[in-house]
Amino acid sequence: MSIKLVAVDIDGTLLTSKREITPEVFEAIQDAKKAGVKVVIATGRPISGVKQLLKDLKLDQEGDYVVTFNGGLVQETATGKELAATTMSYEDYLDVHQLSLKLGVHMHAISKRGIFTPNRNIGKYTVHESSLVDLPIFYRTPEEMKDRNIIKMMYIDEPALLNRVIEQLPADLYERYTLVKSAPFYLEILPKTTDKGTAILHLAEKLGITPDEIMAIGDEENDRAMLEVAGTPVVMENGNPSVKQIAKHITKSNDQSGVAYAIRKWVLN
């Protein structure tokens, strides 16, 4: 069955290690669009962190869609109309914050408008995230977070410390939330019903596309859900070894235009 929708992760997948789009990737995406294939960016970033990429790739036009916040938000790129959105409660925030204090790990919460940290000494990875996704940072006490529309929260810290924290997380946290490691220094905490796979299936259903007609391309654990629901899961050569185990195909690395290779070999061929 032919591929009608290609879901593509950004960091470590679409972009090179220098955070660039190669000419080969750009041309392959344009050729896929001309062939009637929906190319959908699916990322952990907020919408502010993908707007320029969507423009550069001409994926900001009528009929284009984007998945952000690791599945927390699905919307039309041209109009901003939301097809699906999830948020987290103030009680969720308090629980995640209290656990961060107990475990000694930096954290922040993200909305469409900013990154909110309770850490007076703002962690360097919160600063990194702000730069990456083009969102301002706000220091706010837990009491000041009551009326925020939080889409996701993150534990962010040095990789070795974060790994130790993950080993200490209580089992009920996994029962209550979706936890995905999107980088060595990022652990993302989302509503239990939120992941890239659920978001892509929701969009595909609206478009009349079946799972067998979906290709997903990714490299990290936060891509696992969409790789598992896609009929054609493709993992980058530079991808996480555990994620490669569920791939139908391994494409070239992000520095070798692996997204372009995958589209041309398994979609347009």
Side-chain angles (χ1 to χ4, degrees), residues 64-75:
D64 289 326
Y65 302 88
V66 64
V67 173
T68 53
F69 291 102
N70 272 322
L73 184 61
V74 183
Q75 62 190 126

Side-chain angles (χ1 to χ4, degrees), residues 11 51 59:
D11 299 298
K51 282 186 176 179
L59 293 176

Side-chain angles (χ1 to χ4, degrees), residues 19-37:
R19 297 183 189 169
E20 297 173 341
I21 301 168
T22 67
E24 292 81 7
V25 168
F26 174 82
E27 292 298 335
I29 288 175
Q30 304 317 305
D31 288 346
K33 285 192 67 176
K34 290 174 186 175
V37 178

